[in-house]
């Protein structure tokens, strides 16, 4: 009885979580493009995406922002994690500083950066989005790498030194290979966050359409209502996130769920 | 005998804690030396200073006459076998062993030959391609040993080398380590808290307490002629009897049950008996001391004249077998 | 050779400098901005004033605050109750399934927020699937208006943050020693009493932390009210957005966002204090 109740509850919760997404994906393959009638399976709306220059330009911008901010954040975040975990004493101020990007409401960071850039008269565009995305991306990467380092046996780095390796060789041949799954998993999550991030990008992109990212494009399209193109685009964007996150979880079990 | 390692008035503090306190010690070429002490005695800190992971605040560590106290670990002809073994989990057995030789930038042929040779000696050849997590505890221990030995260091440091093994395997490995040390002709320094291990393996033993040496000597010397009450208590089992301002220390095997002739005889009641297979430990309450005296009787002796709990017995010993401390 | 501590500092420095430059300094700037006057043509007039904070107490804005708090509070309550139940069910499932179940529950959280919200527009709009379903069941006449209601906003918030709550509740539940519950049963407590006296007290800290985040993220939300509330239902987040992009009153927007940060800080401190107090009681 209890077990049955538990299964029913889980099924209901998972249904609640997945049915809306499932409907969206299903509709993206509906030939008619309408939510009301199913006229057959088709990929024509995906084709329509490829013909839409605005969407392609936005996708390219998103890719640029995602890749560069992930790369920078992965290097900085990994170094940060190594630095923190190598210290015997943990600074409270440092902990707060790293925790903050994960809990500050997006809208606050967004307007803070907008004010910051406008007061300093920094021209805004893709580069300012990248600067902003590195802030939360590096916090996530360092959190993932630190979680790995918590179970890291530091005596292997001493063993490497004892056997004659210098600091750099030890990092290249022992430390890095051992934390690499976590580093890559952190990078994949950072990339997902960056690709999906809307509010901060929206505020730090500056005027003009040239720095529109995919979420900004989607937001603009949604305001016009439900269209089959959005369904197709949404399905594609979600497929990218799901793939990246699943890969991250497989590489480094425990990164998003135990 | 030539001095290989000269530890000269070495001091190391951690904050307010004095880990090693002006400690001086010479270790000779080809010796199997044991640093014995309880946890917190400073033995591990001393070992880490010899390996180069800690720097002494004062004093010198001379290896072949040259002070190496400030030489980083990767530049010392000294290798450490870690207590946790610290095997590289992403490399094979072979890869782990070759690592240290690769750091010396030796040719590929020479590395392969030396790795092969040491794997032969440590019976690891069949496991060459395995990763550490596919090995048993004893196998990991041999890989850690081979990885350090293959570098042919002037000095090999072993931090609780048998600590992670079960009791039977430990006994076998004690002899195995001794055999290997003879074969390779390298000076070994073993850190251990297990006095039995030190007695079995070492040529000489140093007993440490609070960062200072209590006694240095051969296993026979430290067992039969402990320099202090602490040493007597730490190694083996000792009975202590207060006698005026003095303390008499006597080993259980030096006390005879129903002695015919003894310098000193005393009556007592058996309050407990513990059977150990080879021998029997009798706890005998006497008027001499608050604690019952422990008397070791061989199984054969016990069979000749059985003693039960509650029996009154006479025990005795000779003055030559008593150590006297005045502390 | 670099000392260990110097090397650690060097490794940390670039990231910490980045966070300082692009998070701490901008946030301090916003703090300062709240004490200035709005310029006549937008922009900022750098004369000191408390006017922005006085304006916060204006009935119009106070009303929005209270309304936001009610919506966010309702969403948080629903998400916590459902999320805790789901986490409890997952923690009670066979060990080998737990990882997979939790992964499935958390996965949606890592997909695009806009799209997840948009999915509800597809379901709830006048010609959407729910209306269709009702028609098929024989419902005639004007379909009920479901989109652009407070209910839609609450459903959207619950939908988006539920995975997070499940994760936050699962962590302490999975760490719980199952023998404690068995001991409670052995000592004569029923299933519900065991839950209330043994399980819940030990997992409450994690639940509270999860609840604080959901509440703060909800009250500061901007996308869900904009898309599912149709702009009618303003949350504090929408208000901040409007000050910067339409009303052009940056100082007031800055003061508003400070309120968000203040709410978050107060709740986090309350949660930490509550946890510490709970610990104290257990230990003493």
């Amino acid at each position: 009885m209890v077990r049955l109740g538990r299964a029913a509850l889980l099924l209901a919760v998972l249904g609640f979580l997945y049915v809306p997404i499932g409907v969206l994906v299903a509709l993206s393959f509906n030939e008619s493009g309408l939510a009301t009638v199913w006229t057959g399976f088709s990929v024509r709306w995906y084709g329509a995406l490829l013909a839409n220059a605005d969407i392609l330009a936005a996708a390219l911008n998103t890719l640029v922002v995602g890749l560069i901010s992930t790369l920078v954040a992965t290097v900085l975040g990994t170094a940060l994690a190594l630095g923190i975990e190598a210290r015997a004493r943990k600074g409270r101020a440092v902990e707060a500083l790293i925790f903050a990007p994960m809990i500050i409401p997006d809208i606050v960071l967004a307007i803070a950066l907008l004010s910051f850039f406008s007061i300093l008269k920094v021209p805004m565009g893709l580069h300012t989005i990248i600067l902003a995305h590195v802030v939360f991306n590096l916090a996530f990467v360092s959190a993932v790498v630190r979680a790995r380092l918590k179970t890291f046996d530091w005596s292997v780095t001493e063993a490497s030194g004892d056997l004659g390796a210098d600091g750099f060789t030890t990092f290249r041949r022992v430390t890095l290979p051992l934390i690499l799954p976590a580093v890559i998993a952190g990078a994949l999550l950072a990339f997902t966050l960056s690709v999906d991030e809307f509010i901060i990008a929206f505020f730090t992109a500056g005027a003009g359409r040239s720095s529109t990212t995919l979420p900004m494009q989607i937001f603009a399209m949604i305001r016009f209502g439900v269209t089959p193109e959005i369904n197709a685009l949404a399905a594609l964007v979600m497929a990218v996130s799901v793939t990246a996150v699943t890969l991250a979880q497989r590489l480094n079990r425990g990164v998003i769920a135990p | 005998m030539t001095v290989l390692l000269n530890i000269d008035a070495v001091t190391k503090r951690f904050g307010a804690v004095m880990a090693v306190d002006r400690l001086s010690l010479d270790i000779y070429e080809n010796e199997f030396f044991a640093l014995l002490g309880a946890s917190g005695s400073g033995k591990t800190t001393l070992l880490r200073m010899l390996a180069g992971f800690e720097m002494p605040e004062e004093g010198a560590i001379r290896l072949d006459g040259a002070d190496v106290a400030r030489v980083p670990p990767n530049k010392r002809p000294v290798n450490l076998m870690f207590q946790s073994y610290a095997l590289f989990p992403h490399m094979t057995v072979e890869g782990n062993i070759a690592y240290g030789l690769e750091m010396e930038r030796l040719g590929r042929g020479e590395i392969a030959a030396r790795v092969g040779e040491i794997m032969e000696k440590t019976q690891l050849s069949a496991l060459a391609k395995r990763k550490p997590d596919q090995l048993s505890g004893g196998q990991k221990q041999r890989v850690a040993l081979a990885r350090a030995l293959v570098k042919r260091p002037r000095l090999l440091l072993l931090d609780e080398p048998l600590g992670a093994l079960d009791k039977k395997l430990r006994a076998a490995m004690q002899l195995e380590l001794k055999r290997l040390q003879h074969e390779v002709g390298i000076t070994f320094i073993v850190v251990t808290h297990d006095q039995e291990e030190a007695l079995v393996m070492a040529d000489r033993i140093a007993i440490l307490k609070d960062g200072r040496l209590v006694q240095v000597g051969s296993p026979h010397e430290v067992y039969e002629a402990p320099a202090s009450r602490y040493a007597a208590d730490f190694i083996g089992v000792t009975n202590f009897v207060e006698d005026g301002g003095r303390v008499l220390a006597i080993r259980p095997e030096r006390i005879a049950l129903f002695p015919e002739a003894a310098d000193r005889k005393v009556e007592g009641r058996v309050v407990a008996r513990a059977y150990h297979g080879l021998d029997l430990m009798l706890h005998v309450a006497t008027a001499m001391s608050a604690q019952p005296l422990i008397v070791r009787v061989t199984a054969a002796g016990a069979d000749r004249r059985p003693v039960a709990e509650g029996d009154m017995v006479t025990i005795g010993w000779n003055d030559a077998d008593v150590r006297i401390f005045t502390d | 050779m670099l000392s260990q501590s110097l090397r650690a500092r060097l490794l940390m420095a670039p990231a910490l400098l980045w966070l300082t430059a692009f998070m701490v300094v901008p946030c301090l700037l916003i703090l300062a901005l709240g004490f200035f006057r709005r310029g006549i043509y937008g922009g900022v007039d750098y004369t000191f004033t408390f006017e922005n904070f006085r304006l916060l107490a204006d009935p119009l804005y106070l009303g929005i605050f209270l309304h936001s708090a009610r919506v966010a509070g309702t969403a948080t309550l629903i998400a916590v109750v459902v999320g805790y139940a789901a986490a409890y069910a997952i923690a009670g499932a066979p060990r080998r399934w737990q990882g997979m179940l939790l992964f499935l529950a958390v996965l949606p959280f890592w997909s695009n927020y806009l799209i997840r919200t948009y999915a509800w527009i597809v379901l709830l709009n006048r010609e959407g699937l729910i209306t269709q379903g009702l028609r098929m069941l024989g419902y005639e006449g004007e379909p009920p208006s479901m989109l652009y209601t407070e209910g839609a906003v609450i459903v959207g918030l619950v939908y988006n943050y539920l995975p997070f709550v499940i994760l936050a509740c699962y962590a302490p539940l999975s760490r719980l020693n199952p023998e404690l519950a068995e001991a409670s049963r052995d000592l004569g407590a029923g299933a519900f009493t065991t839950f209330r006296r043994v399980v819940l007290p030990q997992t409450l800290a994690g639940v509270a932390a999860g609840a604080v985040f959901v509440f703060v993220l909800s009250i500061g939300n901007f996308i869900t009210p904009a898309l599912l509330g149709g702009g009618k239902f303003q949350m504090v987040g929408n208000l901040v957005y409007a000050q910067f992009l339409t009303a052009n009153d940056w100082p007031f927007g800055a003061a508003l966002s400070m309120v968000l940060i203040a709410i978050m800080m107060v709740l986090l401190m309350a949660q930490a204090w509550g946890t510490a107090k709970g610990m104290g009681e257990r230990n003493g």
Side-chain angles (χ1 to χ4, degrees):
Chain A
M1 253 313 280
V2 175
R3 190 171 297 175
L4 211 65
R6 246 179 356 216
L9 173 73
L10 274 182
L11 213 62
V13 169
L14 289 177
F16 173 66
L17 289 174
Y18 281 93
V19 165
I21 299 174
V23 166
L24 197 59
V25 174
L27 286 181
S28 75
F29 292 107
N30 187 358
E31 209 274 333
S32 75
L34 299 171
T36 41
V37 266
W38 179 265
T39 54
F41 181 88
S42 158
V43 290
R44 63 182 280 213
W45 303 111
Y46 290 87
L49 288 183
L50 292 178
N52 187 329
D54 284 347
I55 290 179
L56 290 182
L60 185 66
N61 283 342
T62 295
L63 209 60
V64 168
V65 171
L67 287 178
I68 299 180
S69 72
T70 299
L71 191 71
V72 176
T74 303
V75 174
L76 295 190
T78 304
L80 176 65
L82 286 167
I84 294 177
E85 293 302 321
R87 273 156 66 100
R89 247 193 331 209
K90 309 270 177 272
R92 276 192 145 184
V94 172
E95 297 289 338
L97 201 59
I98 304 169
F99 194 44
M102 301 199 236
I103 59 164
I104 293 182
D106 302 352
I107 188 88
V108 175
L109 191 57
I111 58 146
L113 283 163
L114 170 64
S115 313
F116 177 68
F117 290 135
S118 8
I119 285 172
L120 292 183
K121 300 204 162 48
V122 178
M124 284 182 265
L126 286 186
H127 57 283
T128 38
I129 303 180
I130 293 170
L131 290 176
H133 278 196
V134 170
V135 169
F136 57 81
N137 276 349
L138 85 78
F140 269 89
V141 172
S142 77
V144 173
V145 176
R146 279 182 71 186
R148 170 67 187 90
L149 289 176
K150 289 254 187 283
T151 60
F152 189 73
D153 176 13
W154 288 95
S155 67
V156 294
T157 64
E158 286 192 344
S160 172
D162 183 70
L163 293 168
D166 57 33
F168 179 70
T169 308
T170 297
F171 177 73
R172 191 173 57 83
R173 292 212 40 195
V174 177
T175 315
L176 187 60
L178 288 176
I179 64 170
L180 199 58
V183 173
I184 295 175
L188 283 167
L189 292 189
F191 182 73
T192 309
L193 285 173
S194 180
V195 163
D196 288 341
E197 203 285 323
F198 165 61
I199 297 174
I200 294 171
F202 185 71
F203 276 84
T204 53
R209 295 196 43 78
S210 61
S211 46
T212 298
T213 63
L214 214 43
M216 289 158 70
Q217 179 73 26
I218 293 173
F219 186 71
M221 287 165 75
I222 291 173
R223 295 211 129 176
F224 286 106
V226 176
T227 68
E229 281 100 341
I230 311 180
N231 296 345
L233 184 55
L236 274 182
V237 171
M238 277 204 293
V240 171
S241 311
V242 168
T243 310
V245 172
T246 309
L247 211 61
Q249 170 75 5
R250 295 206 63 163
L251 264 173
N252 195 36
R253 211 177 142 81
V255 71
I256 73 155
Chain B
M1 281 195 294
T2 23
V3 172
L4 171 71
L5 181 74
N6 164 242
I7 300 168
D8 186 6
V10 162
T11 296
K12 178 79 186 174
R13 283 184 204 84
F14 292 111
V17 180
M18 193 66 120
V20 174
D21 189 4
R22 275 165 300 154
L23 188 143
S24 295
L25 181 64
D26 280 342
I27 288 164
Y28 303 107
E29 195 104 40
N30 282 332
E31 205 173 16
F32 198 129
F33 195 91
L35 288 171
L36 180 62
S39 62
S41 62
K43 60 188 193 303
T44 298
T45 304
L46 181 59
L47 195 78
R48 287 177 63 82
M49 286 195 283
L50 300 184
F53 294 116
E54 306 287 350
M55 255 179 239
E57 275 143 46
E58 291 153 37
I61 297 171
R62 293 188 195 90
L63 189 70
D64 290 320
D67 189 358
V68 295
R70 268 145 201 91
V71 175
N74 55 331
K75 303 261 195 283
R76 285 187 197 199
V78 173
N79 286 111
L80 171 62
M81 190 187 130
F82 289 75
Q83 185 174 8
S84 68
Y85 307 142
L87 299 181
F88 304 127
H90 57 305
M91 298 181 197
T92 59
V93 166
E94 208 172 40
N96 265 281
I97 298 173
Y99 187 87
L101 298 180
E102 287 164 18
M103 295 305 131
E104 294 175 23
R105 305 199 185 287
L106 300 180
R108 207 173 293 173
E110 187 181 355
I111 293 180
R114 275 171 67 175
V115 170
E117 181 195 358
I118 198 75
M119 284 200 298
E120 199 74 34
K121 268 197 189 119
T122 48
Q123 294 143 44
L124 286 168
S125 305
L127 307 173
K129 302 289 179 209
R130 294 232 191 133
K131 293 268 183 78
D133 61 1
Q134 299 167 305
L135 301 176
S136 71
Q139 291 166 340
K140 281 184 197 164
Q141 192 258 7
R142 296 210 302 273
V143 178
L145 189 62
R147 185 176 72 174
L149 279 179
V150 77
K151 301 243 325 164
R152 296 178 186 160
R154 292 288 290 140
L155 178 63
L156 181 70
L157 311 170
L158 303 97
D159 189 4
E160 302 278 2
L162 309 178
L165 305 181
D166 63 51
K167 209 173 168 185
K168 262 219 162 115
L169 192 53
R170 203 151 56 201
M173 282 311 295
Q174 286 170 1
L175 299 176
E176 176 69 13
L177 266 183
K178 223 175 141 97
R179 176 189 70 79
L180 216 59
Q181 194 252 345
H182 276 292
E183 205 172 306
V184 295
I186 291 173
T187 307
F188 278 25
I189 300 182
V190 171
V191 151
T192 179
H193 67 277
D194 182 341
Q195 40 103 6
E196 192 190 310
E197 196 168 290
L199 291 176
V200 171
M201 293 195 295
D203 298 322
R204 279 197 309 149
I205 297 172
I207 301 171
L208 266 76
K209 187 190 177 222
D210 301 333
R212 292 164 184 253
L213 285 179
V214 173
Q215 186 174 10
V216 183
S218 69
H220 189 261
E221 279 165 0
V222 295
Y223 188 83
E224 296 296 344
S228 70
R229 183 174 175 164
Y230 180 82
D233 197 27
F234 193 73
I235 295 207
V237 179
T238 305
N239 295 298
F240 294 104
V241 178
E242 304 282 342
D243 182 26
R246 308 179 309 167
V247 176
L248 312 181
I250 181 156
R251 298 281 186 195
E253 66 271 20
R254 299 287 178 185
I255 303 181
L257 185 64
F258 303 117
E260 284 158 17
D263 296 344
R264 183 118 191 216
K265 285 189 189 178
V266 62
E267 294 273 305
R269 182 182 296 280
V270 177
V271 292
R273 51 201 298 280
Y275 180 63
H276 288 264
L278 265 182
D279 46 36
L280 182 69
M281 294 291 190
L282 296 178
H283 294 236
V284 181
T286 66
M288 289 189 76
S289 66
Q291 292 290 320
L293 297 178
I294 300 171
V295 180
R296 180 168 162 179
V297 184
T298 61
D303 286 347
R304 271 199 302 277
R305 187 161 178 183
V307 180
E309 252 170 60
D311 287 359
M312 289 300 292
V313 294
T314 307
I315 54 175
W317 57 82
N318 292 322
D319 290 339
D321 295 328
V322 176
R323 303 275 309 165
I324 298 167
F325 302 113
T326 50
D327 49 22
Chain C
M1 201 176 75
L2 290 177
S3 82
Q4 180 102 3
S5 129
L6 182 64
R7 194 160 48 182
R9 274 162 210 268
L10 282 177
L11 281 171
M12 290 158 67
L16 295 183
L17 282 177
W18 196 290
L19 291 179
T20 307
F22 300 113
M23 182 183 71
V24 177
V25 172
C27 285
L28 290 176
L29 189 70
I30 282 286
L31 185 67
L33 214 52
F35 291 98
F36 291 128
R37 234 178 259 289
R38 173 196 179 177
I40 304 165
Y41 308 103
V44 183
D45 172 4
Y46 292 96
T47 39
F48 184 84
T49 176
F50 277 117
E51 189 51 41
N52 297 311
F53 292 94
R54 196 165 311 140
L55 203 56
L56 291 175
D58 183 285
L60 172 66
Y61 296 113
L62 212 55
I64 293 176
F65 273 119
L66 291 178
H67 180 258
S68 299
R70 203 186 66 223
V71 172
T74 311
T76 305
L77 188 69
I78 297 172
V80 165
V81 171
V82 177
Y84 191 92
Y88 194 70
I90 292 176
R95 270 247 162 251
R96 61 184 188 284
W97 292 357
Q98 290 186 16
M100 193 57 194
L101 285 171
L102 198 64
F103 178 73
L104 279 178
V106 176
L107 188 59
F109 194 67
W110 286 93
S111 67
N112 194 305
Y113 189 97
L114 274 174
I115 293 174
R116 277 182 287 154
T117 309
Y118 166 73
W120 282 93
I121 300 184
V122 174
L123 287 177
L124 294 177
N125 77 60
R126 221 166 265 276
E127 288 307 317
L129 280 183
I130 291 179
T131 307
Q132 305 270 329
L134 287 174
R135 288 241 169 86
M136 271 203 283
L137 291 172
Y139 181 86
E140 308 245 339
E142 197 56 14
S145 110
M146 285 175 290
L147 194 57
Y148 309 138
T149 61
E150 196 175 300
V153 175
I154 292 173
V155 168
L157 291 173
V158 170
Y159 181 70
N160 279 306
Y161 296 128
L162 185 60
F164 177 76
V165 178
I166 296 177
L167 188 65
C169 295
Y170 175 80
L173 279 170
S174 70
R175 277 198 298 268
L176 206 63
N177 179 356
E179 286 183 355
L180 292 181
E182 287 172 6
S184 166
R185 299 298 297 268
D186 181 63
L187 294 168
F192 180 71
T193 308
T194 296
F195 174 76
R196 192 173 56 84
R197 299 276 310 268
V198 176
V199 177
L200 197 59
Q202 297 196 66
T203 50
L204 218 49
V207 179
V212 169
F213 288 129
V214 173
F215 183 79
V216 173
L217 291 174
S218 295
I219 205 170
N221 207 293
F222 150 69
I223 293 175
T224 303
L227 294 181
L228 298 181
K232 277 188 296 179
F233 297 94
Q234 285 199 316
M235 302 284 274
V236 183
N238 305 76
L239 211 51
V240 176
Y241 170 88
Q243 301 315 311
F244 274 81
L245 292 188
T246 52
N248 241 332
D249 189 347
W250 287 21
F252 184 55
L256 281 169
S257 60
M258 219 95 68
V259 172
L260 280 181
I261 295 279
I263 293 173
M264 183 178 77
M265 298 266 226
V266 167
L267 288 177
L268 280 180
M269 278 194 279
Q271 188 264 338
W273 182 77
T275 309
K277 193 164 169 277
M279 292 281 198
E281 271 168 16
R282 260 202 292 279
N283 294 339

